[in-house]
Amino acid sequence: MSRRSRRRTPAARSGSSPAWERRYRERWRWDRVGWGSHCVDCYPTNCPFRVYVRDGLVAREEQSGSFRTIEQGVPDMNPAGCQKGASWSQLLDGQERVLYPLKRAGERGEGKWQRVSWDQALTEIADAMLDAIQDAGPESIMRVGSPGEGGTQSIILAGAVMNRLGGTVTDIQAEINDFNPGLYITFGKFDPVASVDDWFHSELLITWANNPVFSAIPWYHYATEARYNGAELVTIGPDYSPSAIHTDCFVPVRIGSDAALALSICQVLVEEGLVDRPFVQDQTDLPFLVRTDTRRFLRASDVEEGGREDQFYVYDARAGRIVEAPRGTLALNGVDPALEGTYRSRLADGSEVEVTPVFALLRQRLEAYRPEEASKVCGVSPEVIRLLARKIARRKTRILLGWTTGKSYHGDLMERAICLVLALSGNWGSKGTGTRSWAVGMFDGMFLFSAKPAPGQEATAQVVAAQRAMLEAAKAADPGSTDEIAIAELGYAGARMGGMIAPALFWYYHCGYREVWNRPEWNDPAMPRPFDAYVQEALSSEWWVGSDQLPEGKPPRVLFEIGGNLLRRQRGGQNMLLRYLWPKLRLIVSMDWRMSTTGLYSDFVLPAAQHYEKVNFCYTSPHVMNLTLSDRVVPPAGESKSEWEFSLMLARKVEERAKARGLLEYQNRAGMTIRLDGLYDAITMNGAYADEDRVMDEMVRDSVVAGTLPEGTTLETMREKGHVRFTDWGVSPMALAQASDLKPDETHSPFRWHTEKKMPFPTLTRRAQFYIDHAWFLEAGEELPVHKEAPSLGGDYPLAITGGHPRWSVNSMNMTNWVILNTHRGRPFVMVNPQDAEARGIENGETVRVYNDVSSMDIEAKVSPTVRPGQVIIYNGWEPYQFRRWSDTSNVEPGMVKWLHLAGGYGHLRYRAMHWQPIPIDRAIRVEMAKVG
Ligand code: SF4
């Protein structure tokens, strides 16, 4: 009997009750209940579910409703969940489920497969890995940083062998593109995240470039509850989105002009005297003095021999002289920094220069954004701009920023301008204020587990002590440092040593992007030099050392995609990867519980246990503040394995095959000796970690030692309660970046250490930095936020594609779930304005070809007046194989990056894992469409 039919077989009939009653009773019969969740990229994830098991199979799941009230007067988080989660069990035996190891039997992508044993698959994979090590070095074994299952523990553990061998891992951040570069440029971190219940404290909640009704289903209730609490809701976006429908005020902004709107709001704040002057003085670099001759900050290195490059100055209006800006604190200690005026400063050589505060330069720049002028650019009426500015100035304002800005060509400028709105109005570092992005962290056990020299918590305590000592040493070396800054600095060093790379150079050399990125018409027309000139300067300046381990002429040989779907995700899609990268790869391995498009183009597809079939923890986020267990409530189906089991089997096999060919050790690029005999023992700590439950239990206990989970928490207690609230931040960079005390009975709003304790930011200037005097930023005219029109990515065509997370899937997971398919058209669609449709003779439901200079795709038209003329919306997540020719949206995206994001060597503008780096653009791609037969 098949899994599907067994699960749906009615129980034995009893008595004479009617059929409907029997069916109803049947639904409420189960043998066991476990805790489950869906540790995927449905950020912020972590919905605790009860999973009901009957006859050894999952019968159904439901939201647990088990969160307690955190802060009196603030609604709890119940009942967290969404429709995908409520039908997740359908995927256990969906048609795309992979149950056995499969080996390609025809050409890649031809769809011909041969079922093989695990032993055969592992043998051939291990041999290919050893060939790669011997022929091209271990870095030619590549694992793409798969976000498909959200960077969960099991996926991280799956990389154990590749990491140990010295392989290459691409940075998850660049793979998923959920990076807000403008937030990073401003704050030295991109990840301020309030807990979702803190939305309740906002008086003005602005959804900007975001659609939380689709993308934050479990948490959107806080927006409506904030409204009951008196908050006003505003949506800023180009289309009348499902989120716009529910707000008090919809502000339709022309696509790509958000910076002009934000800067116009800033102009009104300045013009009408609404600026929070004390906030600006101590939180930002706006009082810092800039030399008018060089347009660079006045530095100690200018005014004295041997002075610091990172010591800056303000003009103290009270003392009437130029004084050093404090570095180790934001506190002004009696100094009253001027925001206006010009002053004279003596330099080390005895000459004098004119200097002026950044704020004065900003005021000049904002002149171009008077509402009447900005309105012509952004399409928002001057009255609305003024109204918005006055509301923001007077209310506790939170801007719920999405990731659309970061995926736009000049999204960094949009985000810097939005941060400026918050700065001028004093809107961060208190409840109900600030902006948002994403952050993980807090589950320190996950990191400690792999850093420990031995099993057990004694070893954990030693590692924690060593980490703390390292932090203290780093802080002692720089009195202007803090935990957060020291961790960020240590992170830079770590990124250089590890196998993780910012993949921009890999794409550039090996995936065909060099040619695309050098096309002048797809770059900022104001870019003064060719793209390659910036690449060469970045390389010769050694800004990306460590990320260049696969240089030109040295492509990867073996590629693993574990839990993700590279051929759907990559901007430029199959166009680039199948054409340029695939022919260079000797072996492509996909491990997944379902057959994805990437799997279809792989050489081996290995069956992974699904979410209810393995022990896992959802990746943790300050949004929710909980560690959430997703347990093994049923055994893995068929021959599927958890990623940890796979890792251990692979370790054994690599060791066995290495011994057979006499390859016992080699040196990696850093000169370290890697031994292959004893690989399994090294990974399992001599067998202690052979059991998956032990590994997860160890991580939980390690977190207790690190102080981030309550005393007594174990895997066993997690199995009783399902989730537990974190007690502290620990030492992971994204957790410390929150910079607020974590309290057991309060909602969390980030940056309170900056406003209340006056702790500096991890930027070059130690302030929220709006002026970037890096030579490239000056060259680009982007030293201050400015509006720039995006280039015509894809060619000179009249329509611009926007999109975002769909309501119906998590990435491409659930796009084939039959329950979810029945809640929409069941196939990919493009939303188009009726005027645009009529002009092209397109009727609702007809198939259209969307095309540009890059490629084309065929898709169903959904004609809707919610879309503005000139815009087309294609929500992401569709599997390429759901399209004709398997040609999906990513195929019409050129995959451009903004050259400025290759800048480095400047304070916080340098690579560290999951932070500053170029990410590909996919918003506002230019296309045309026409009806096809
Ligand atoms: Fe929650 Fe994500 Fe599961 Fe939906 S899919 S119920 S958002 S964890």
Side-chain angles (χ1 to χ4, degrees), residues 760-822:
F761 285 88
T763 58
L764 174 72
T765 59
R766 298 289 197 251
R767 307 291 186 97
Q769 189 168 343
F770 292 98
Y771 193 82
I772 304 293
D773 65 347
H774 186 290
W776 287 13
F777 281 66
L778 291 166
E779 192 174 313
E782 298 186 21
E783 70 279 9
L784 279 170
V786 64
H787 164 71
K788 282 184 168 182
E789 286 295 322
S792 295
L793 300 177
D796 187 15
Y797 294 96
L799 303 173
I801 300 180
T802 67
H805 273 276
R807 175 180 270 158
W808 318 278
S809 73
V810 181
N811 298 328
S812 51
M813 272 174 275
N814 284 287
M815 273 307 187
T816 51
N817 181 332
W818 71 270
V819 172
I820 303 295
L821 282 169
N822 279 294

Side-chain angles (χ1 to χ4, degrees), residues 703-755:
S703 294
V704 174
V705 173
T708 60
L709 287 178
E711 279 295 331
T713 311
T714 62
L715 180 60
E716 200 180 329
T717 65
M718 293 294 298
R719 281 187 163 139
E720 285 161 24
K721 297 176 183 159
H723 51 91
V724 59
R725 195 171 197 262
F726 284 102
T727 48
D728 207 348
W729 296 113
V731 290
S732 64
M734 284 185 173
L736 281 176
Q738 302 312 310
S740 285
D741 289 340
L742 199 168
K743 298 184 180 167
D745 53 357
E746 276 191 36
T747 64
H748 158 67
S749 186
F751 288 10
R752 290 175 67 172
W753 291 345
H754 300 308
T755 53

Side-chain angles (χ1 to χ4, degrees), residues 342-398:
T342 55
Y343 310 95
R344 307 289 300 173
S345 173
R346 185 172 296 279
L347 302 183
D349 64 4
S351 63
E352 277 198 358
V353 287
E354 184 183 70
V355 291
T356 191
V358 172
F359 188 88
L361 298 173
L362 175 68
R363 183 192 278 276
Q364 288 169 21
R365 177 154 289 192
L366 292 179
E367 278 304 300
Y369 299 95
R370 290 182 165 276
E372 283 68 22
E373 293 307 311
S375 177
K376 293 174 197 160
V377 179
C378 68
V380 179
S381 83
E383 291 74 28
V384 172
I385 295 172
R386 290 198 168 88
L387 195 72
L388 267 178
R390 291 167 195 154
K391 281 181 196 288
I392 291 168
R394 295 189 180 113
R395 299 191 193 177
K396 282 193 295 183
T397 301
R398 165 160 290 132

Side-chain angles (χ1 to χ4, degrees), residues 100-102 114-123 604 606 639:
Y100 311 100
L102 297 173
Q114 175 194 357
R115 179 175 164 181
V116 294
S117 67
W118 267 104
D119 190 64
Q120 182 185 340
L122 289 166
T123 302
F604 279 97
L606 305 178
E639 293 183 10

